[in-house]
Amino acid sequence: MGLRVYNSLTKRKEEFVPIKEGRVNMYVCGVTVYDVCHIGHARANIVFDVIYRYLQSAGYEVKYVRNFTDIDDKIINRANEAGKPCREITTRYIKEFNDDMSRLNLKKPTIEPRATQHIPDMINTIKTLVEKGHAYVIEGNVFFSVESFSEYGKLSSRSMDELLAGARVAVDERKRNPLDFALWKASKPSEPKWESPWGEGRPGWHIECSTMSAKYLGNTFDIHGGGKDLIFPHHENEIAQSECSTGQKFVNYWLHNGFVNINSEKMSKSLKNFFTIKDVLKEYHPEVVRMFLISNHYRSPIDFTDNNLRETKGNLDRCYTMLKLLKEKLSAKEGADAAQSFDAAKALKGRAASFMDSIKEAMNDDFNTAVSISILFELVRLTNRYISAPEFSVCAGSKQILGAVKERLNSFADIFGILTYDPDAYLSEEKSEALSKLGISESDILKLIQERADARRDKDFARADAVRDKLINHGIILEDTAQGTKWKAKT
RNA sequence: GGCGGUGUAGCCAAGUUGGCUAAGGCAGAGGUCUGCAAAACCUCGAUCCAUCGGUUCGAAUCCGUUCACCGCCUCCA
């Protein structure tokens, strides 16, 4: 079965059929660059990053466009507050955004256009809308006339009457209809401005996406994404602008991700209950954040709590612990070849063989990352079971099985962007992070481990256990293994 | 007020275009291993999917009722 996606426009899952076979054109609304990004931005961008990666792995050639809104009221306000030019603000926050996204291991989109670099294109779109009678000019402002577009409201499934009834915003008296929105705004003296047929001004918010998506992806393209909060008015207005200016259908599939909640409430700037990506990354490894954000279905809300993040960290650690074991076995010296026909071997071999098909099945069902992760856990468990089975030994046959597992995990990592580190690097990084928090040095730990080893050698278990308890009180847990005693931090 | 979404084991959560044993994780219990632990592995949990009623041979999944929570209608991923 092929890919099926939930389309916000039709409100149902549909078979995904690209306009051009084997190619996908996708546009995702990016950020307005006036502040650092919060974890909600992380979710939206990670969700579409995984979709981008998955489509590529499914064999599509994907053109992925994600914009930067670098001219906007909020930017102007921020610039005025700081007494700096807008350009300085946007340059800084574009850099901050790129830093955050690269730490979270997001792939670069194919094109990242900026609004201010497409002003002439936007002016052309607006001109067309005015010529076709979908927009009107008042005192240097250009407004889109929603009444000129009979399908206005189709994405948010509301009629204009309903929208008007709920309107809570102060109405600009100059508009013909309160729902009309600005395509071009006459600029005030200190604001950034560009020449236009209507005088000096700047573009409205929505026009950039209509213009830039058409420029890079064509009048009609396959996927348009963004957060649920953009459905109205942003995406509704994009549809109106684009379909009126081109006379063609704008987008075939609309995808919207759910919110990140804090204590079950939407996280937002106005509620001041947000966490920035940088703050979160101080506490958690980037892959923990990624794994957490893809552990739910992308359309569902996800509750951002310390408890949930810690649980995810425990799961990721378990995966890396298995990867480390896998790495050790694969590089260990081979013994005499042994039959791989015991239960644990057969089960793992079967799972490894069907692994990618199962992932594909899950992802083909509207990008079900939650199920994908459950499939990963199953592979991890079966691998651990295999390696710890009494019949297991390192030999040509077992290396072949483990090599197959490793290969599957690499494919998994390519799609989901987690489990991409060398396990030793990941685990030692976790250890040193923990040490700095626990306030105990590694040499102290090793000294105590030696002390305990001496006591154990003397069969003085009371003293050995006392040493271990002391370490537990410091948040250090010991593991006695065939290769000696190892330590790790309590999660 | 209008529109939309959600309600599944102690907790997180998938499944919701009706039909194999209701995924997976955390916590918990027992076991294997261990001097004892830890890790890993094994076993155990919802006769039931907010509520009431209906459709059907068959529903967590469809229809209607009630209750609760959330989002959008304002900048917002």
Side-chain angles (χ1 to χ4, degrees), chain A residues 263-304:
Chain A
N263 297 322
S264 307
E265 282 215 320
K266 178 189 169 184
M267 171 166 74
S268 76
K269 293 243 162 167
S270 47
L271 289 172
K272 297 199 170 122
N273 61 345
F274 59 92
F275 291 96
T276 68
I277 293 172
K278 288 178 214 310
D279 284 343
V280 173
L281 289 180
K282 279 180 202 155
E283 292 294 317
Y284 296 99
H285 191 281
E287 286 201 354
V288 171
V289 177
R290 255 193 104 100
M291 185 161 173
F292 172 66
L293 292 174
I294 63 175
S295 65
N296 270 29
H297 189 90
Y298 77 89
R299 282 189 283 119
S300 310
I302 188 165
D303 210 23
F304 189 86

mmCIF file of all heavy atoms in Angstrom, chain A residues 263-304:
data_model
loop_
_atom_site.group_PDB
_atom_site.id
_atom_site.type_symbol
_atom_site.label_atom_id
_atom_site.label_comp_id
_atom_site.label_asym_id
_atom_site.label_seq_id
_atom_site.Cartn_x
_atom_site.Cartn_y
_atom_site.Cartn_z
ATOM 1 N N ASN A 263 1.885 21.524 30.576
ATOM 2 C CA ASN A 263 0.799 21.204 31.505
ATOM 3 C C ASN A 263 -0.551 21.206 30.784
ATOM 4 O O ASN A 263 -1.516 21.808 31.245
ATOM 5 C CB ASN A 263 0.760 22.185 32.676
ATOM 6 C CG ASN A 263 2.027 22.102 33.493
ATOM 7 O OD1 ASN A 263 2.576 21.010 33.689
ATOM 8 N ND2 ASN A 263 2.524 23.226 33.950
ATOM 9 N N SER A 264 -0.567 20.585 29.631
ATOM 10 C CA SER A 264 -1.784 20.435 28.836
ATOM 11 C C SER A 264 -2.342 21.740 28.275
ATOM 12 O O SER A 264 -3.445 21.778 27.771
ATOM 13 C CB SER A 264 -2.891 19.734 29.638
ATOM 14 O OG SER A 264 -2.398 18.522 30.156
ATOM 15 N N GLU A 265 -1.571 22.800 28.356
ATOM 16 C CA GLU A 265 -2.019 24.050 27.749
ATOM 17 C C GLU A 265 -1.079 24.428 26.636
ATOM 18 O O GLU A 265 0.140 24.190 26.724
ATOM 19 C CB GLU A 265 -2.023 25.176 28.788
ATOM 20 C CG GLU A 265 -3.203 25.128 29.720
ATOM 21 C CD GLU A 265 -3.652 26.524 30.097
ATOM 22 O OE1 GLU A 265 -2.782 27.375 30.310
ATOM 23 O OE2 GLU A 265 -4.877 26.735 30.179
ATOM 24 N N LYS A 266 -1.620 25.013 25.607
ATOM 25 C CA LYS A 266 -0.805 25.420 24.473
ATOM 26 C C LYS A 266 0.327 26.332 24.937
ATOM 27 O O LYS A 266 0.117 27.253 25.713
ATOM 28 C CB LYS A 266 -1.680 26.177 23.470
ATOM 29 C CG LYS A 266 -0.913 26.676 22.275
ATOM 30 C CD LYS A 266 -1.773 27.594 21.441
ATOM 31 C CE LYS A 266 -0.910 28.295 20.398
ATOM 32 N NZ LYS A 266 -1.661 29.273 19.623
ATOM 33 N N MET A 267 1.506 26.018 24.426
ATOM 34 C CA MET A 267 2.634 26.878 24.721
ATOM 35 C C MET A 267 2.600 28.040 23.737
ATOM 36 O O MET A 267 2.412 27.846 22.542
ATOM 37 C CB MET A 267 3.922 26.093 24.531
ATOM 38 C CG MET A 267 5.162 26.936 24.596
ATOM 39 S SD MET A 267 6.623 25.936 24.784
ATOM 40 C CE MET A 267 6.766 25.282 23.171
ATOM 41 N N SER A 268 2.730 29.247 24.229
ATOM 42 C CA SER A 268 2.762 30.367 23.304
ATOM 43 C C SER A 268 3.449 31.552 23.931
ATOM 44 O O SER A 268 3.595 31.644 25.148
ATOM 45 C CB SER A 268 1.350 30.761 22.874
ATOM 46 O OG SER A 268 0.715 31.476 23.906
ATOM 47 N N LYS A 269 3.853 32.423 23.063
ATOM 48 C CA LYS A 269 4.547 33.616 23.522
ATOM 49 C C LYS A 269 3.653 34.451 24.426
ATOM 50 O O LYS A 269 4.087 34.961 25.446
ATOM 51 C CB LYS A 269 4.946 34.448 22.308
ATOM 52 C CG LYS A 269 5.983 33.770 21.473
ATOM 53 C CD LYS A 269 7.231 34.583 21.448
ATOM 54 C CE LYS A 269 8.386 33.717 21.002
ATOM 55 N NZ LYS A 269 9.559 34.476 20.669
ATOM 56 N N SER A 270 2.381 34.568 24.026
ATOM 57 C CA SER A 270 1.517 35.449 24.800
ATOM 58 C C SER A 270 1.235 34.883 26.194
ATOM 59 O O SER A 270 1.050 35.622 27.135
ATOM 60 C CB SER A 270 0.212 35.722 24.045
ATOM 61 O OG SER A 270 -0.320 34.533 23.542
ATOM 62 N N LEU A 271 1.230 33.558 26.315
ATOM 63 C CA LEU A 271 1.001 32.969 27.639
ATOM 64 C C LEU A 271 2.302 32.925 28.452
ATOM 65 O O LEU A 271 2.305 32.608 29.630
ATOM 66 C CB LEU A 271 0.438 31.547 27.502
ATOM 67 C CG LEU A 271 -1.000 31.424 26.995
ATOM 68 C CD1 LEU A 271 -1.362 29.977 26.723
ATOM 69 C CD2 LEU A 271 -1.974 32.016 28.019
ATOM 70 N N LYS A 272 3.385 33.207 27.772
ATOM 71 C CA LYS A 272 4.702 33.235 28.427
ATOM 72 C C LYS A 272 5.048 31.916 29.101
ATOM 73 O O LYS A 272 5.696 31.876 30.140
ATOM 74 C CB LYS A 272 4.769 34.371 29.454
ATOM 75 C CG LYS A 272 4.619 35.734 28.792
ATOM 76 C CD LYS A 272 5.137 36.853 29.680
ATOM 77 C CE LYS A 272 5.204 38.162 28.909
ATOM 78 N NZ LYS A 272 4.438 39.255 29.474
ATOM 79 N N ASN A 273 4.568 30.839 28.545
ATOM 80 C CA ASN A 273 4.865 29.533 29.138
ATOM 81 C C ASN A 273 5.734 28.700 28.189
ATOM 82 O O ASN A 273 5.572 27.514 28.072
ATOM 83 C CB ASN A 273 3.573 28.776 29.457
ATOM 84 C CG ASN A 273 2.747 28.513 28.214
ATOM 85 O OD1 ASN A 273 2.979 29.111 27.178
ATOM 86 N ND2 ASN A 273 1.794 27.600 28.304
ATOM 87 N N PHE A 274 6.644 29.379 27.493
ATOM 88 C CA PHE A 274 7.427 28.660 26.493
ATOM 89 C C PHE A 274 8.860 28.369 26.956
ATOM 90 O O PHE A 274 9.378 29.033 27.844
ATOM 91 C CB PHE A 274 7.470 29.457 25.189
ATOM 92 C CG PHE A 274 8.071 30.826 25.317
ATOM 93 C CD1 PHE A 274 9.424 31.027 25.102
ATOM 94 C CD2 PHE A 274 7.283 31.914 25.677
ATOM 95 C CE1 PHE A 274 9.989 32.282 25.238
ATOM 96 C CE2 PHE A 274 7.839 33.178 25.815
ATOM 97 C CZ PHE A 274 9.196 33.363 25.597
ATOM 98 N N PHE A 275 9.422 27.344 26.366
ATOM 99 C CA PHE A 275 10.826 27.013 26.585
ATOM 100 C C PHE A 275 11.559 27.222 25.273
ATOM 101 O O PHE A 275 11.099 26.759 24.233
ATOM 102 C CB PHE A 275 10.982 25.540 26.985
ATOM 103 C CG PHE A 275 10.429 25.227 28.340
ATOM 104 C CD1 PHE A 275 9.145 24.709 28.493
ATOM 105 C CD2 PHE A 275 11.196 25.464 29.479
ATOM 106 C CE1 PHE A 275 8.640 24.426 29.746
ATOM 107 C CE2 PHE A 275 10.686 25.178 30.743
ATOM 108 C CZ PHE A 275 9.408 24.659 30.872
ATOM 109 N N THR A 276 12.683 27.876 25.328
ATOM 110 C CA THR A 276 13.443 28.025 24.088
ATOM 111 C C THR A 276 14.208 26.731 23.814
ATOM 112 O O THR A 276 14.483 25.935 24.721
ATOM 113 C CB THR A 276 14.460 29.183 24.171
ATOM 114 O OG1 THR A 276 15.480 28.830 25.108
ATOM 115 C CG2 THR A 276 13.786 30.477 24.610
ATOM 116 N N ILE A 277 14.544 26.551 22.569
ATOM 117 C CA ILE A 277 15.301 25.363 22.180
ATOM 118 C C ILE A 277 16.638 25.345 22.910
ATOM 119 O O ILE A 277 17.084 24.301 23.404
ATOM 120 C CB ILE A 277 15.513 25.357 20.649
ATOM 121 C CG1 ILE A 277 14.159 25.165 19.944
ATOM 122 C CG2 ILE A 277 16.499 24.266 20.235
ATOM 123 C CD1 ILE A 277 14.204 25.327 18.443
ATOM 124 N N LYS A 278 17.247 26.503 23.000
ATOM 125 C CA LYS A 278 18.554 26.569 23.675
ATOM 126 C C LYS A 278 18.460 26.140 25.133
ATOM 127 O O LYS A 278 19.335 25.428 25.635
ATOM 128 C CB LYS A 278 19.114 27.989 23.576
ATOM 129 C CG LYS A 278 19.587 28.325 22.167
ATOM 130 C CD LYS A 278 20.100 29.758 22.096
ATOM 131 C CE LYS A 278 19.788 30.388 20.756
ATOM 132 N NZ LYS A 278 20.172 29.610 19.581
ATOM 133 N N ASP A 279 17.402 26.569 25.813
ATOM 134 C CA ASP A 279 17.229 26.169 27.222
ATOM 135 C C ASP A 279 17.066 24.663 27.331
ATOM 136 O O ASP A 279 17.662 24.024 28.203
ATOM 137 C CB ASP A 279 15.985 26.845 27.821
ATOM 138 C CG ASP A 279 16.241 28.308 28.141
ATOM 139 O OD1 ASP A 279 17.431 28.691 28.216
ATOM 140 O OD2 ASP A 279 15.261 29.052 28.310
ATOM 141 N N VAL A 280 16.256 24.116 26.469
ATOM 142 C CA VAL A 280 15.988 22.678 26.533
ATOM 143 C C VAL A 280 17.263 21.878 26.232
ATOM 144 O O VAL A 280 17.546 20.866 26.879
ATOM 145 C CB VAL A 280 14.870 22.298 25.545
ATOM 146 C CG1 VAL A 280 14.701 20.793 25.480
ATOM 147 C CG2 VAL A 280 13.559 22.955 25.965
ATOM 148 N N LEU A 281 18.045 22.380 25.294
ATOM 149 C CA LEU A 281 19.268 21.656 24.938
ATOM 150 C C LEU A 281 20.338 21.735 26.030
ATOM 151 O O LEU A 281 21.288 20.962 26.019
ATOM 152 C CB LEU A 281 19.821 22.165 23.604
ATOM 153 C CG LEU A 281 18.985 21.777 22.373
ATOM 154 C CD1 LEU A 281 19.617 22.324 21.101
ATOM 155 C CD2 LEU A 281 18.841 20.259 22.260
ATOM 156 N N LYS A 282 20.157 22.656 26.959
ATOM 157 C CA LYS A 282 21.081 22.678 28.102
ATOM 158 C C LYS A 282 20.825 21.473 28.998
ATOM 159 O O LYS A 282 21.711 20.987 29.683
ATOM 160 C CB LYS A 282 20.886 23.968 28.915
ATOM 161 C CG LYS A 282 21.603 25.159 28.326
ATOM 162 C CD LYS A 282 21.350 26.401 29.187
ATOM 163 C CE LYS A 282 21.591 27.657 28.357
ATOM 164 N NZ LYS A 282 20.840 28.808 28.869
ATOM 165 N N GLU A 283 19.584 21.016 29.015
ATOM 166 C CA GLU A 283 19.200 19.910 29.891
ATOM 167 C C GLU A 283 19.217 18.557 29.193
ATOM 168 O O GLU A 283 19.471 17.537 29.823
ATOM 169 C CB GLU A 283 17.776 20.141 30.430
ATOM 170 C CG GLU A 283 17.657 21.302 31.388
ATOM 171 C CD GLU A 283 18.415 21.048 32.688
ATOM 172 O OE1 GLU A 283 18.324 19.915 33.218
ATOM 173 O OE2 GLU A 283 19.108 21.977 33.159
ATOM 174 N N TYR A 284 18.890 18.562 27.917
ATOM 175 C CA TYR A 284 18.734 17.285 27.227
ATOM 176 C C TYR A 284 19.523 17.231 25.927
ATOM 177 O O TYR A 284 19.645 18.240 25.226
ATOM 178 C CB TYR A 284 17.250 17.012 26.942
ATOM 179 C CG TYR A 284 16.430 16.864 28.191
ATOM 180 C CD1 TYR A 284 15.677 17.927 28.682
ATOM 181 C CD2 TYR A 284 16.459 15.676 28.912
ATOM 182 C CE1 TYR A 284 14.947 17.806 29.859
ATOM 183 C CE2 TYR A 284 15.733 15.543 30.081
ATOM 184 C CZ TYR A 284 14.974 16.600 30.556
ATOM 185 O OH TYR A 284 14.265 16.475 31.712
ATOM 186 N N HIS A 285 19.993 16.054 25.631
ATOM 187 C CA HIS A 285 20.705 15.810 24.376
ATOM 188 C C HIS A 285 19.747 16.087 23.200
ATOM 189 O O HIS A 285 18.562 15.762 23.289
ATOM 190 C CB HIS A 285 21.170 14.349 24.367
ATOM 191 C CG HIS A 285 22.123 14.036 23.263
ATOM 192 N ND1 HIS A 285 21.703 13.821 21.973
ATOM 193 C CD2 HIS A 285 23.472 13.913 23.244
ATOM 194 C CE1 HIS A 285 22.765 13.569 21.212
ATOM 195 N NE2 HIS A 285 23.848 13.616 21.957
ATOM 196 N N PRO A 286 20.269 16.659 22.115
ATOM 197 C CA PRO A 286 19.404 16.970 20.966
ATOM 198 C C PRO A 286 18.600 15.761 20.474
ATOM 199 O O PRO A 286 17.439 15.908 20.072
ATOM 200 C CB PRO A 286 20.387 17.414 19.884
ATOM 201 C CG PRO A 286 21.592 17.871 20.611
ATOM 202 C CD PRO A 286 21.647 17.134 21.905
ATOM 203 N N GLU A 287 19.194 14.587 20.525
ATOM 204 C CA GLU A 287 18.443 13.415 20.044
ATOM 205 C C GLU A 287 17.315 13.030 21.000
ATOM 206 O O GLU A 287 16.323 12.439 20.579
ATOM 207 C CB GLU A 287 19.384 12.219 19.820
ATOM 208 C CG GLU A 287 20.223 12.389 18.565
ATOM 209 C CD GLU A 287 20.778 11.082 18.035
ATOM 210 O OE1 GLU A 287 20.608 10.030 18.693
ATOM 211 O OE2 GLU A 287 21.392 11.121 16.959
ATOM 212 N N VAL A 288 17.466 13.375 22.270
ATOM 213 C CA VAL A 288 16.367 13.132 23.212
ATOM 214 C C VAL A 288 15.191 14.022 22.814
ATOM 215 O O VAL A 288 14.041 13.574 22.772
ATOM 216 C CB VAL A 288 16.795 13.428 24.675
ATOM 217 C CG1 VAL A 288 15.592 13.387 25.607
ATOM 218 C CG2 VAL A 288 17.858 12.425 25.124
ATOM 219 N N VAL A 289 15.488 15.261 22.488
ATOM 220 C CA VAL A 289 14.444 16.200 22.097
ATOM 221 C C VAL A 289 13.769 15.728 20.810
ATOM 222 O O VAL A 289 12.545 15.695 20.700
ATOM 223 C CB VAL A 289 15.038 17.617 21.896
ATOM 224 C CG1 VAL A 289 13.969 18.583 21.410
ATOM 225 C CG2 VAL A 289 15.648 18.117 23.201
ATOM 226 N N ARG A 290 14.581 15.327 19.849
ATOM 227 C CA ARG A 290 14.036 14.815 18.583
ATOM 228 C C ARG A 290 13.160 13.605 18.809
ATOM 229 O O ARG A 290 12.045 13.509 18.312
ATOM 230 C CB ARG A 290 15.195 14.407 17.658
ATOM 231 C CG ARG A 290 15.479 15.345 16.534
ATOM 232 C CD ARG A 290 16.411 14.691 15.524
ATOM 233 N NE ARG A 290 15.656 14.285 14.370
ATOM 234 C CZ ARG A 290 15.600 14.969 13.227
ATOM 235 N NH1 ARG A 290 16.283 16.083 13.075
ATOM 236 N NH2 ARG A 290 14.870 14.540 12.220
ATOM 237 N N MET A 291 13.696 12.659 19.574
ATOM 238 C CA MET A 291 12.960 11.415 19.795
ATOM 239 C C MET A 291 11.649 11.705 20.525
ATOM 240 O O MET A 291 10.608 11.159 20.184
ATOM 241 C CB MET A 291 13.806 10.443 20.606
ATOM 242 C CG MET A 291 13.172 9.080 20.793
ATOM 243 S SD MET A 291 14.484 7.927 21.244
ATOM 244 C CE MET A 291 13.551 6.461 21.638
ATOM 245 N N PHE A 292 11.723 12.590 21.497
ATOM 246 C CA PHE A 292 10.507 12.952 22.226
ATOM 247 C C PHE A 292 9.458 13.530 21.277
ATOM 248 O O PHE A 292 8.294 13.128 21.298
ATOM 249 C CB PHE A 292 10.831 13.956 23.329
ATOM 250 C CG PHE A 292 9.613 14.528 23.989
ATOM 251 C CD1 PHE A 292 8.779 13.718 24.746
ATOM 252 C CD2 PHE A 292 9.267 15.860 23.833
ATOM 253 C CE1 PHE A 292 7.637 14.217 25.336
ATOM 254 C CE2 PHE A 292 8.124 16.376 24.421
ATOM 255 C CZ PHE A 292 7.304 15.554 25.167
ATOM 256 N N LEU A 293 9.879 14.450 20.431
ATOM 257 C CA LEU A 293 8.924 15.135 19.568
ATOM 258 C C LEU A 293 8.344 14.241 18.477
ATOM 259 O O LEU A 293 7.275 14.528 17.947
ATOM 260 C CB LEU A 293 9.562 16.391 18.962
ATOM 261 C CG LEU A 293 9.849 17.499 19.981
ATOM 262 C CD1 LEU A 293 10.616 18.642 19.333
ATOM 263 C CD2 LEU A 293 8.558 18.024 20.615
ATOM 264 N N ILE A 294 9.030 13.167 18.135
ATOM 265 C CA ILE A 294 8.450 12.263 17.140
ATOM 266 C C ILE A 294 7.830 11.017 17.776
ATOM 267 O O ILE A 294 7.377 10.119 17.081
ATOM 268 C CB ILE A 294 9.468 11.849 16.046
ATOM 269 C CG1 ILE A 294 10.628 11.077 16.634
ATOM 270 C CG2 ILE A 294 9.940 13.063 15.268
ATOM 271 C CD1 ILE A 294 11.591 10.544 15.578
ATOM 272 N N SER A 295 7.782 10.992 19.105
ATOM 273 C CA SER A 295 7.209 9.814 19.759
ATOM 274 C C SER A 295 5.678 9.865 19.766
ATOM 275 O O SER A 295 5.026 8.874 20.047
ATOM 276 C CB SER A 295 7.747 9.672 21.185
ATOM 277 O OG SER A 295 7.321 10.764 21.965
ATOM 278 N N ASN A 296 5.123 11.019 19.441
ATOM 279 C CA ASN A 296 3.668 11.144 19.278
ATOM 280 C C ASN A 296 3.359 11.319 17.800
ATOM 281 O O ASN A 296 4.217 11.714 17.028
ATOM 282 C CB ASN A 296 3.167 12.409 19.978
ATOM 283 C CG ASN A 296 2.797 12.153 21.406
ATOM 284 O OD1 ASN A 296 3.357 11.280 22.047
ATOM 285 N ND2 ASN A 296 1.878 12.934 21.909
ATOM 286 N N HIS A 297 2.113 11.104 17.468
ATOM 287 C CA HIS A 297 1.719 11.392 16.096
ATOM 288 C C HIS A 297 1.804 12.901 15.855
ATOM 289 O O HIS A 297 1.463 13.670 16.741
ATOM 290 C CB HIS A 297 0.301 10.883 15.817
ATOM 291 C CG HIS A 297 -0.038 10.969 14.371
ATOM 292 N ND1 HIS A 297 0.208 9.942 13.503
ATOM 293 C CD2 HIS A 297 -0.493 12.003 13.643
ATOM 294 C CE1 HIS A 297 -0.113 10.338 12.278
ATOM 295 N NE2 HIS A 297 -0.551 11.580 12.343
ATOM 296 N N TYR A 298 2.221 13.299 14.662
ATOM 297 C CA TYR A 298 2.495 14.730 14.451
ATOM 298 C C TYR A 298 1.268 15.623 14.562
ATOM 299 O O TYR A 298 1.392 16.814 14.833
ATOM 300 C CB TYR A 298 3.191 14.957 13.087
ATOM 301 C CG TYR A 298 2.284 14.890 11.871
ATOM 302 C CD1 TYR A 298 1.635 16.028 11.385
ATOM 303 C CD2 TYR A 298 2.075 13.689 11.211
ATOM 304 C CE1 TYR A 298 0.810 15.967 10.273
ATOM 305 C CE2 TYR A 298 1.244 13.619 10.097
ATOM 306 C CZ TYR A 298 0.612 14.761 9.634
ATOM 307 O OH TYR A 298 -0.211 14.697 8.537
ATOM 308 N N ARG A 299 0.066 15.055 14.370
ATOM 309 C CA ARG A 299 -1.121 15.911 14.461
ATOM 310 C C ARG A 299 -1.649 16.055 15.881
ATOM 311 O O ARG A 299 -2.471 16.920 16.160
ATOM 312 C CB ARG A 299 -2.234 15.358 13.550
ATOM 313 C CG ARG A 299 -2.024 15.693 12.086
ATOM 314 C CD ARG A 299 -3.214 15.333 11.222
ATOM 315 N NE ARG A 299 -3.295 13.905 10.943
ATOM 316 C CZ ARG A 299 -4.305 13.128 11.288
ATOM 317 N NH1 ARG A 299 -5.344 13.648 11.926
ATOM 318 N NH2 ARG A 299 -4.288 11.852 10.998
ATOM 319 N N SER A 300 -1.215 15.173 16.776
ATOM 320 C CA SER A 300 -1.696 15.233 18.155
ATOM 321 C C SER A 300 -0.888 16.250 18.956
ATOM 322 O O SER A 300 0.266 16.500 18.662
ATOM 323 C CB SER A 300 -1.527 13.881 18.842
ATOM 324 O OG SER A 300 -2.055 12.862 18.051
ATOM 325 N N PRO A 301 -1.518 16.772 19.991
ATOM 326 C CA PRO A 301 -0.728 17.628 20.881
ATOM 327 C C PRO A 301 0.279 16.770 21.647
ATOM 328 O O PRO A 301 0.082 15.563 21.796
ATOM 329 C CB PRO A 301 -1.771 18.218 21.826
ATOM 330 C CG PRO A 301 -2.964 17.342 21.728
ATOM 331 C CD PRO A 301 -2.916 16.682 20.387
ATOM 332 N N ILE A 302 1.339 17.380 22.089
ATOM 333 C CA ILE A 302 2.315 16.629 22.877
ATOM 334 C C ILE A 302 2.634 17.437 24.128
ATOM 335 O O ILE A 302 2.803 18.659 24.051
ATOM 336 C CB ILE A 302 3.585 16.333 22.049
ATOM 337 C CG1 ILE A 302 4.520 15.391 22.791
ATOM 338 C CG2 ILE A 302 4.313 17.611 21.644
ATOM 339 C CD1 ILE A 302 5.585 14.782 21.907
ATOM 340 N N ASP A 303 2.642 16.776 25.271
ATOM 341 C CA ASP A 303 2.838 17.479 26.535
ATOM 342 C C ASP A 303 4.313 17.487 26.900
ATOM 343 O O ASP A 303 4.921 16.435 27.084
ATOM 344 C CB ASP A 303 2.002 16.805 27.636
ATOM 345 C CG ASP A 303 1.552 17.805 28.699
ATOM 346 O OD1 ASP A 303 1.491 19.018 28.387
ATOM 347 O OD2 ASP A 303 1.278 17.378 29.832
ATOM 348 N N PHE A 304 4.842 18.682 26.983
ATOM 349 C CA PHE A 304 6.266 18.843 27.267
ATOM 350 C C PHE A 304 6.487 18.908 28.770
ATOM 351 O O PHE A 304 6.218 19.931 29.396
ATOM 352 C CB PHE A 304 6.757 20.134 26.599
ATOM 353 C CG PHE A 304 8.240 20.303 26.641
ATOM 354 C CD1 PHE A 304 9.037 19.739 25.661
ATOM 355 C CD2 PHE A 304 8.837 21.012 27.663
ATOM 356 C CE1 PHE A 304 10.410 19.882 25.696
ATOM 357 C CE2 PHE A 304 10.222 21.154 27.705
ATOM 358 C CZ PHE A 304 10.995 20.587 26.727
#
